[in-house]
Amino acid sequence: MWWEKEGHLEVKDNLLYIGGMSARALAEKYGTPLYVYNKKRILENFNELNNAFLKHNQNVRIHYAMKANSNLEVLRTLKDAGAYIDAVSPLEVETAFRAGFPKERIMFTGTSVSNDDLIRLLETGVFLNIDSVSQIKRLQKLTDKKLDISIRWNPGEGSGAGHHSNTITAGKYVKFGIPEHKLEDAVLEAKKAGFNIVGLHQHIGSGWLKEDVPTFLSSVDKTIDTAKRIETLTGQKLSFIDFGGGPGIPYTETQKLFPVDEYAKGIYEKIKSSGVDAVVAIEPGRFIAGDAGILLVEANTVEEKNIPVVGVNAGFNTIVRPAMYGSYQEIVVCDNVDSTSKKEYLVAGNLCETGDVFTENRKVLRALPQICEGGILAILDAGAYGFSMASTYNSRPLPAEVMIDGATSKIIRRRQTLDDILREQESV
Ligand SMILES: Cc1ncc(COP(=O)(O)O)c(C=O)c1O
């Protein structure tokens, strides 16, 4: 199978194994729907990125974008591996603290950041990456400190890339970052406030692949030029440039693996030839957690309606990517993985919504090996933007999460209960 990876996802005797453990056994032990993460795979992904830079003696600071998956155990795993954190809300910052990250390893990059957010962030002492001139002006009123800050800029039209138009974060109709024509204002306001601009940041979008690497690398050029411009404006050297996140993973057989070496070499060569002497930072989320997570669900209804429908015990409240972005997620029939006799099904969730399906849209059926009621299905590549975007819509509780660590598995989040869901209402 195109998605098999030794030691992570394997097929033996027609059965699916995750990190050497039977998918069915995991489903039986912990119940479904169940997110299963493989620690080994998370570390492999992190190390692959790190090593690609080290090959060129280029140190890189990897800020894990915890929005992709903020389970404490995932965070602890990456903390121990030496990761930094990209946090996008005050409570993400505090979650990173609880996972043991020191403030020196956390950078906050927010959007539509309120004064309340800023007050809370100032209390934490984490590094602030600034998204708007307004933020600089308001920060100045909220603190007497001469802060070190960085600027998130928007490299402009044609610089964005992403798996969906809503995940492209550079360009004109985009809320993120400070556009080129406002950079001087930002520098001026920072000067007035007594803040030191020590870094520059770009993030062009999420989930881009090999064909987007040239676009990314041309944004790297622009960002390096902008870094020089800021150095001239401030009269000070920048200590880091952050090229953001976004490297994608193949969700389908036809998508290619992300060219990690081409990406790292491209950044390295551009930095080297520019003469800029700044630490390089990146902020991957999906690349690290994406393929390390699998969502296990159970088929409860297999029936010929107008079309053959397989109903499962999860919905877009559990994994929103297909419904929200029309994204393809590979579905594996865990007890009958490589049967060549296939049938086309609509794999549908348990929410009262017509669009609650696990295919790209409800008119697309998926050819799968025969599915029986009680069968376990694995939705692959669910480790990033899976649980972290889950909700309790239809009063369906958040699923449990399990981490496989070598020969053992452990629960890292228990399944939610009705009491959990109602706590904030019943305690008022
Ligand atoms: C500022 C920032 N950095 C990093 C990321 C991580 O993106 P990805 O998970 O695609 O690497 C995002 C996500 O959109 C982001 O907004």
Side-chain angles (χ1 to χ4, degrees), residues 63-68 86-88 107 109-110 129 152 163 166-169 176 201-208 242-248 282-289 384-385:
H63 287 254
Y64 169 59
M66 63 182 283
K67 65 176 77 68
D86 160 39
V88 294
M107 179 158 95
T109 301
N129 184 32
R152 175 180 188 166
H163 69 86
N166 285 350
T167 68
I168 294 175
T169 52
F176 297 105
H201 171 278
Q202 67 156 53
H203 172 65
I204 65 163
S206 181
W208 37 272
D242 185 329
F243 295 107
I282 55 171
E283 294 173 347
R286 186 188 312 270
F287 186 87
I288 291 174
Y385 308 104

Side-chain angles (χ1 to χ4, degrees), residues 164-224:
H164 184 277
S165 60
N166 285 350
T167 68
I168 294 175
T169 52
K172 183 170 175 187
Y173 293 97
V174 160
K175 63 177 175 169
F176 297 105
I178 298 177
E180 190 166 10
H181 70 273
K182 292 202 75 173
L183 284 173
E184 270 180 38
D185 273 7
V187 171
L188 211 69
E189 287 303 328
K191 207 177 229 168
K192 269 199 229 157
F195 300 159
N196 250 335
I197 300 178
V198 300
L200 183 65
H201 171 278
Q202 67 156 53
H203 172 65
I204 65 163
S206 181
W208 37 272
L209 289 165
K210 183 176 172 59
E211 53 276 20
D212 302 307
V213 170
T215 304
F216 168 76
L217 290 177
S218 73
S219 75
V220 168
D221 280 333
K222 286 189 191 172
T223 294
I224 290 173

